[in-house]
Amino acid sequence: MNDSPATGTPSSEPVVLDVWCELQCPDCHTAQDDLRALRERYGDRLDIRLRHFPLEKHTYAYAAAQAAEEAAEQGKGQEFIEAVLARTEELGRSGERLLLEVADAVGLDSDELDTALIDGRHLLIVDADQAEGKAIGVRGTPTYVIGGELLDGSANQEGLRARIEEIADRLLA
């Protein structure tokens, strides 16, 4: 039971679901449907946090992670992430040009996003996420962590949403 230590009553704190993701990963694009369904089912009782895990095999994943941080700073992080994930193949061909295009499309200040990519203001966030992911055993994306359990969706996502719901329901009971 998720009790508040002082009162013994159920905690009003949301359950945290960390999602290690990279924006050039087709599997992370597929996972967005599950994340939307989880947001709809749990609302603010489930805090879904995107954690960056750019993979070396994807040339523009690191830049995309930095751009996502800038988009979040400008208040449109989720819109930007979903729009980039919808174009993962194109990102592999177009690179940073696509990131700026998506920024314009979702109403971001694309000049500021471009400056953020140049000055590297979000490098530490991306690096810290990646280091933490490696430390806990993340090997691919998407990978989920909820209630201390690591669920690797990089090879197969079948049944993961049900497992996440099962853990979330237990933690929220």
Side-chain angles (χ1 to χ4, degrees), residues 15-18 46 144-151 164 167-168 171:
V15 169
V16 174
L17 171 64
D18 282 326
L46 184 65
Y144 309 90
V145 176
I146 183 170
E149 190 169 334
L150 187 137
L151 305 168
I164 291 166
I167 295 167
L171 294 171

Side-chain angles (χ1 to χ4, degrees), residues 3-157:
D3 290 343
S4 168
T7 63
T9 59
S11 172
S12 62
E13 292 295 313
V15 169
V16 174
L17 171 64
D18 282 326
V19 181
W20 266 266
C21 177
E22 75 120 77
L23 300 183
Q24 200 175 334
C25 170
D27 291 332
C28 289
H29 168 68
T30 303
Q32 289 301 300
D33 289 338
D34 285 341
L35 294 175
R36 272 190 221 79
L38 289 167
R39 280 188 193 94
E40 189 174 303
R41 177 174 175 170
Y42 293 102
D44 60 4
R45 296 179 308 141
L46 184 65
D47 181 11
I48 300 173
R49 301 186 314 191
L50 174 80
R51 307 297 300 275
H52 301 289
F53 201 78
L55 302 169
E56 288 183 22
K57 69 181 179 179
H58 292 137
T59 308
Y60 299 104
Y62 196 76
Q66 294 174 70
E69 285 299 317
E70 179 59 30
E73 209 165 89
Q74 293 186 34
K76 297 199 177 207
Q78 190 59 39
E79 280 180 70
F80 180 81
I81 288 164
E82 288 187 21
V84 171
L85 282 171
R87 299 170 73 178
T88 56
E89 283 186 33
E90 193 178 342
L91 178 59
R93 291 189 305 273
S94 302
E96 291 182 17
R97 187 178 78 239
L98 176 77
L99 299 174
L100 298 172
E101 212 176 276
V102 170
D104 280 335
V106 300
L108 294 172
D109 180 340
S110 59
D111 289 336
E112 190 62 26
L113 188 134
D114 190 36
T115 300
L117 291 173
I118 293 166
D119 70 20
R121 68 182 76 157
H122 303 294
L123 288 172
L124 291 177
I125 294 169
V126 175
D127 288 346
D129 276 0
Q130 189 168 43
E132 184 180 338
K134 285 179 181 177
I136 65 167
V138 174
R139 292 186 314 270
T141 57
T143 296
Y144 309 90
V145 176
I146 183 170
E149 190 169 334
L150 187 137
L151 305 168
D152 185 351
S154 63
N156 184 350
Q157 295 179 61

